[in-house]
Amino acid sequence: MTDSQQGLRSGSGEPHPDFNVDQPVEGSATPANGTTSHQEDHEEGCDDCPSMSGRTLGYWLTLVFFVGPFYVIPPLSWAYTVYATIRLGEAWVNKAPLLRALPTWEWAVLPYTVFECGFSVYYYFLCRRVSRRGSQVPKRDPAELRLAIRRLLEDELDYRPTPAPSSPPAPPKPSTTNESERRLFTPSSPPPRLASDDPRAVDFRNHFGLWFHGKPWREISRQSMREWFAWSLFDLRHDELDEAQKTMVEDAVVLVECRAGCLLSDEEDDGGGVVRLTSDPIVTWSRPGLLYVIGGVMNLASEWWLKWRYGMVKQEFAGIE
């Protein structure tokens, strides 16, 4: 085993005792005996995540002519409502007829702008309420979690658990029942590792990196990966986990590195830059209520059409419509 192969580490920074980089992987682009330099693969082949900053002409056309006009409706509605209120206030102070304070077309627009202002206030408090909600993730059975993680991270990894021909098989280390129940893998069944240039590893890195805002793999820290697993498995921060949960997270991080064929960064950080859908603050622009009205009308029309034309029936199953 080369020095670079010994570099796959656990969260503590030491080589993981259960990791076997010589484990042959079916279809891997790197030979199982490790004759090629894994360190070179890591340095040269782990920054293949597509850039998230590129903007095409179609993006800008859609933003300017379709998305933009809808998103400026709430601020324009507020501006016009304030303007109309000032005009009506001046007419009230001057004892002038209120109906003559605004032209006819402005009177026609005012009810709609007032509706948009009210809806934007409702939208704001709705986002605040959702942001303050507690964890909605039910507690899962640890055995079920371990099985799900292994199925996810070892998908398509058909490996042959045979020892390298140059050395006799090492005797398995004894493990207690409590340890085997808490681990995602055991010393007698170490995880296989794909080569960094294996198409399966490249595809995994490109898709998994989206949970870290599209960062290149070498820029994703091990602590950030811990934070992501703490959220995805338990809906908690990593420092809120108990010892058994932290052990599961550490093993999951090792399996991710095996599946990706590349090491994570050892740089210390606060675990930021991770997408956590249920715990991140909700940052959103107020959307116009007109969109929801149009969507509701379209849903009702479609439902009526399907019922009349095809006899569709709406039912509920386990609380799901």
Side-chain angles (χ1 to χ4, degrees), residues 241-260:
L241 302 179
D242 58 33
E243 290 304 317
Q245 292 170 334
K246 286 184 178 180
T247 299
M248 185 178 298
V249 167
E250 290 298 330
D251 287 351
V253 172
V254 174
L255 288 178
V256 163
E257 291 182 318
C258 297
R259 185 67 173 82

Side-chain angles (χ1 to χ4, degrees), residues 50-317:
S51 173
M52 300 289 291
S53 60
R55 304 301 186 192
T56 62
L57 178 61
Y59 168 85
W60 292 109
L61 292 177
T62 303
L63 177 64
V64 172
F65 294 104
F66 184 76
V67 178
F70 279 102
Y71 275 87
V72 299
I73 288 178
L76 290 180
S77 297
W78 274 102
Y80 177 77
T81 301
V82 171
Y83 161 78
T85 302
I86 294 175
R87 290 284 301 273
L88 293 174
E90 292 176 348
W92 176 269
V93 171
N94 297 328
K95 307 295 184 180
L98 295 181
L99 293 178
R100 296 182 180 180
L102 297 174
T104 303
W105 71 270
E106 291 188 8
W107 276 111
V109 173
L110 183 60
Y112 171 70
T113 60
V114 171
F115 161 74
E116 288 291 353
C117 291
F119 182 81
S120 65
V121 173
Y122 165 76
Y123 193 89
Y124 170 78
F125 283 104
L126 183 65
C127 292
R128 288 286 302 273
R129 187 181 69 177
V130 172
S131 298
R132 292 196 299 265
R133 292 183 64 183
S135 174
Q136 302 295 313
V137 177
K139 291 188 176 181
R140 302 182 179 91
D141 179 64
E144 179 185 352
L145 280 177
R146 289 193 296 269
L147 180 61
I149 295 172
R150 294 206 62 158
R151 283 178 174 175
L152 171 66
L153 298 180
E154 294 186 359
D155 182 36
E156 299 180 350
L157 298 187
D158 299 325
Y159 64 99
R160 304 180 303 272
T162 55
S166 58
S167 60
K173 296 183 294 183
S175 60
T176 63
T177 302
N178 292 334
E179 179 186 6
S180 61
E181 289 179 351
R182 293 187 295 111
R183 305 301 297 271
L184 291 175
F185 49 86
T186 62
S188 60
S189 179
R193 180 192 179 189
L194 289 176
S196 63
D197 57 350
D198 189 297
R200 296 168 293 180
V202 174
D203 182 71
F204 179 82
R205 294 196 300 269
N206 289 344
H207 285 84
F208 204 86
L210 298 178
W211 288 105
F212 302 88
H213 302 284
K215 289 182 180 179
W217 191 263
R218 73 167 66 194
E219 296 181 12
I220 301 175
S221 70
R222 191 167 281 109
Q223 183 59 33
S224 294
M225 188 64 69
R226 294 189 189 105
E227 290 290 348
W228 186 86
F229 272 111
W231 162 75
S232 62
L233 297 178
F234 309 106
D235 201 15
L236 296 172
R237 298 186 62 84
H238 184 261
D239 55 11
E240 299 173 342
L241 302 179
D242 58 33
E243 290 304 317
Q245 292 170 334
K246 286 184 178 180
T247 299
M248 185 178 298
V249 167
E250 290 298 330
D251 287 351
V253 172
V254 174
L255 288 178
V256 163
E257 291 182 318
C258 297
R259 185 67 173 82
C262 293
L263 305 180
L264 294 165
S265 170
D266 286 320
E267 295 182 1
E268 296 293 335
D269 60 14
D270 57 358
V274 182
V275 178
R276 292 168 290 196
L277 300 181
T278 58
S279 58
D280 289 340
I282 297 179
V283 180
T284 180
W285 290 83
S286 180
R287 300 175 183 176
L290 179 63
L291 284 180
Y292 294 91
V293 172
I294 294 175
V297 171
M298 293 177 62
N299 286 337
L300 291 175
S302 300
E303 181 180 336
W304 174 84
W305 167 258
L306 292 174
K307 286 181 178 180
W308 174 76
R309 185 68 176 81
Y310 300 102
M312 184 193 75
V313 178
K314 289 179 63 175
Q315 294 181 343
E316 287 189 6
F317 178 77

